[in-house]
Amino acid sequence: AMGIQPATSDRKSAYSPDAAGMKPLFHNFQSAKPVHKDDYKHAIKKSAQMASLSGAIYMNIIPECHKIGQALVANGTSADVAWMVTDSVGYEDDYREEQMSDKTAASRDPVLVRTITIRGFDASDESVDRELLLYRICEGEKVLLGNSGILVHKGLLLVAEELYDTLTTYIDFAAPTHKLVLNGHSIGGSLSVLLMMLLVDRRGVDYVKENFLRVYTFGSPPISISPDAIEDSKKYSDTSDVMRCPTLEAIGLESDFVYQYVQPWDPVARLFSDIDPCYPLLEDIGDDGVTLYASGPSRALRPITRAIIESWEGWPRFRDGFREQSNQGYTGIGVQHLLLPEPTRYLADRLVSVNIAIPPVYSVVQLNSREILPALKETFPLDEFSISFVPSALRSFIHHFYPAYTSPFVEYANGKTPIPQEIEVASPPIADADTRANGARRSGNIFKWPILGKAVANNK
């Protein structure tokens, strides 16, 4: 069942397991909730535009930017990572609702918004040193970032520092009225987060609060952790501030300063964490670091691994670094958003067979940074064994590529997701506004979740 119910005492009655005859999908996670109607403008509409921009950097940049109302200011490459700077006209409350608390006319004045978008790893780009960048990605050892007290990914911090030296020019040369946004897909999003942290460390948190609207990431691996994150999670688990982020709080920023978006079956969003599923590349290899184990099932990654080992001279360096530094236990940051498929797709993937195609988005669920990885582990399990089979391996790669975060999310935000057959299943209340795009229709205390194909009836 795809019901979403935060674990709060005031949401029982028709939505409790006893009344509904089933448990909601995220019933173990206190922070899980649908996007509220007051947050829809910046958590869905504006974020979908940022998703399009994070994909445009992989394509023909100028026409793709123009499609979404962005003017290209500059683009280039630093530390073997591509970036671009774009300008647009917008409103601050499109990015963060709290700016409109006084509801003054002046707060609706248009502003110039400069967005810095950083690209993820692109294996097709021969103009960069892809092998060096891959080494840096896998150099995940924890290091302290300045005086922040935050531990971050060593290799990507080195990349972020080079980007900082280049991109601060476009930050400093912006007009006094410009507002800034950081944005990126895959490691591009991780680097955007690190760039924000470097700005806080070197220029102060007040500078970042005054000049930057938000950081957006799509399918990005976690690359930071607050030393007090685990203890803070226990300390605040029963408070009303369920969305708080210890990492951002440690540097003086609000928990919603970073918006992260995750496709549930994307393995890259789990890298360097406690649920990293990508160990078959190493754990399926003998003690000599080359010979593949003869035992075990026929799996997709076995021949891929053999081909890599036999053709890549840099394999030993990569193998040793990944083995020693990949398991770091990094956590999410900011407010997390899961792009969920409709219920039968979820049930079919879990119980019948894997469908590698990218499904339409039918709901977006918010979770805090402490619960996103446990929620993925419980509801969308992707371990090192299952990911090795052909369908799961293909699905994993496809659900990480930038198209998985662009068209489905944009269609959802624009209300263009087809309305399928519907049945009633238990679910807690969801935002009334724009229910068409939220993939649900209100019917008393029951929601009609959209169902494609054969209906799956509630037994109750």
Side-chain angles (χ1 to χ4, degrees):
M2 291 283 287
I4 305 156
Q5 176 180 345
T8 54
S9 58
D10 60 343
R11 282 200 173 180
K12 291 186 177 179
S13 67
Y15 311 118
S16 67
D18 291 338
M22 58 185 172
K23 291 183 178 180
L25 188 61
F26 297 99
H27 68 282
N28 286 329
F29 303 99
Q30 184 182 15
S31 65
K33 62 179 182 179
V35 174
H36 191 272
K37 63 180 180 181
D38 292 340
D39 297 328
Y40 187 82
K41 180 164 54 176
H42 53 268
I44 302 298
K45 294 290 287 187
K46 180 54 65 175
S47 299
Q49 185 185 80
M50 292 297 104
S52 295
L53 201 57
S54 74
I57 196 170
Y58 292 90
M59 299 183 282
N60 191 348
I61 291 178
I62 293 178
E64 293 299 323
C65 287
H66 289 177
K67 287 179 184 178
I68 50 179
Q70 299 277 336
L72 182 65
V73 175
N75 67 302
T77 302
S78 302
D80 299 305
V81 173
W83 52 265
M84 68 179 182
V85 179
T86 57
D87 280 352
S88 63
V89 177
Y91 300 91
E92 287 193 44
D93 68 300
D94 288 343
Y95 295 85
R96 50 188 190 189
E97 190 67 25
E98 64 268 21
Q99 297 297 312
M100 285 293 289
S101 57
D102 56 358
K103 301 295 182 182
T104 63
S107 63
R108 279 299 293 172
D109 289 341
V111 296
L112 289 170
V113 180
R114 173 157 293 181
T115 303
I116 298 173
T117 300
I118 303 175
R119 193 183 70 185
F121 181 82
D122 186 353
S124 67
D125 187 354
E126 297 181 354
S127 66
V128 301
D129 189 337
R130 292 165 291 183
E131 188 169 322
L132 175 59
L133 181 57
L134 188 59
Y135 290 144
R136 285 182 164 180
I137 293 171
C138 295
E139 194 177 2
E141 178 186 352
K142 296 186 185 77
V143 295
L144 190 64
L145 189 147
N147 299 315
S148 67
I150 304 299
L151 299 172
V152 301
H153 185 294
K154 177 181 178 180
L156 290 181
L157 178 60
L158 293 173
V159 176
E161 288 173 334
E162 290 190 44
L163 286 166
Y164 180 94
D165 292 339
T166 300
L167 295 175
T168 46
T169 297
Y170 299 98
I171 294 172
D172 295 338
F173 285 2
T177 54
H178 258 109
K179 294 297 180 180
L180 295 124
V181 172
L182 296 171
N183 182 46
H185 166 259
S186 191
I187 66 162
S190 302
L191 290 166
S192 295
V193 170
L194 287 170
L195 189 58
M196 174 269 294
M197 290 181 173
L198 287 171
L199 285 161
V200 171
D201 184 66
R202 298 178 182 183
R203 301 193 176 190
V205 67
D206 291 338
Y207 173 86
V208 172
K209 285 181 176 180
E210 181 179 350
N211 292 284
F212 286 79
L213 296 174
R214 180 162 278 132
V215 180
Y216 295 88
T217 81
F218 302 90
S220 300
I223 42 73
S224 64
I225 186 170
S226 166
D228 300 325
I230 297 176
E231 191 62 34
D232 283 355
S233 179
K234 296 175 182 177
K235 179 180 177 182
Y236 288 88
S237 61
D238 296 326
T239 72
S240 59
D241 190 15
V242 295
M243 299 307 290
R244 66 180 294 274
C245 172
T247 303
L248 287 176
E249 187 176 87
I251 57 176
L253 292 173
E254 297 294 327
S255 298
D256 63 352
F257 195 82
V258 176
Y259 270 4
Q260 296 199 308
Y261 293 79
V262 178
Q263 280 282 1
W265 297 116
D266 182 350
V268 175
R270 311 178 190 212
L271 288 178
F272 313 115
S273 74
D274 290 335
I275 62 168
D276 187 338
C278 294
Y279 290 115
L281 282 171
L282 301 176
E283 296 304 313
D284 206 23
I285 300 171
D287 293 336
D288 64 359
V290 176
T291 305
L292 295 171
Y293 285 131
S295 59
S298 176
R299 291 182 274 164
L301 292 185
R302 289 177 64 85
I304 294 174
T305 302
R306 183 185 297 277
I308 292 173
I309 293 171
E310 291 177 348
S311 63
W312 185 14
E313 293 180 357
W315 165 254
R317 178 184 171 191
F318 171 82
R319 175 199 64 214
D320 294 341
F322 193 82
R323 273 180 167 163
E324 295 172 3
Q325 302 181 27
S326 61
N327 187 17
Q328 294 294 331
Y330 291 130
T331 60
I333 187 171
V335 178
Q336 306 290 314
H337 299 78
L338 269 178
L339 308 180
L340 293 178
E342 48 86 20
T344 51
R345 174 62 183 270
Y346 169 78
L347 292 172
D349 271 2
R350 288 294 303 272
L351 303 175
V352 184
S353 63
V354 171
N355 185 337
I356 66 173
I358 302 166
V361 174
Y362 278 99
S363 182
V364 178
V365 176
Q366 291 181 329
L367 294 105
N368 66 34
S369 59
R370 305 180 303 278
E371 291 189 331
I372 179 63
L373 294 172
L376 286 171
K377 181 179 180 180
E378 179 176 303
T379 57
F380 296 89
L382 192 63
D383 57 40
E384 62 268 24
F385 187 81
S386 64
I387 197 177
S388 299
F389 289 95
V390 175
S392 293
L394 291 174
R395 178 184 63 187
S396 297
F397 287 111
I398 292 171
H399 285 228
H400 173 68
F401 292 153
Y402 73 87
Y405 288 92
T406 52
S407 296
F409 190 24
V410 171
E411 290 177 2
Y412 169 80
N414 293 335
K416 294 181 180 179
T417 302
I419 300 178
Q421 179 182 347
E422 295 174 334
I423 61 168
E424 290 185 350
V425 299
S427 175
I430 201 168
D432 288 319
D434 210 340
T435 55
R436 167 73 170 78
N438 275 282
R441 293 179 176 179
R442 184 178 296 280
S443 177
N445 286 333
I446 297 292
F447 269 82
K448 293 182 177 181
W449 277 90
I451 301 293
L452 287 169
K454 186 178 179 180
V456 180
N458 182 5
N459 293 328
K460 199 68 174 173

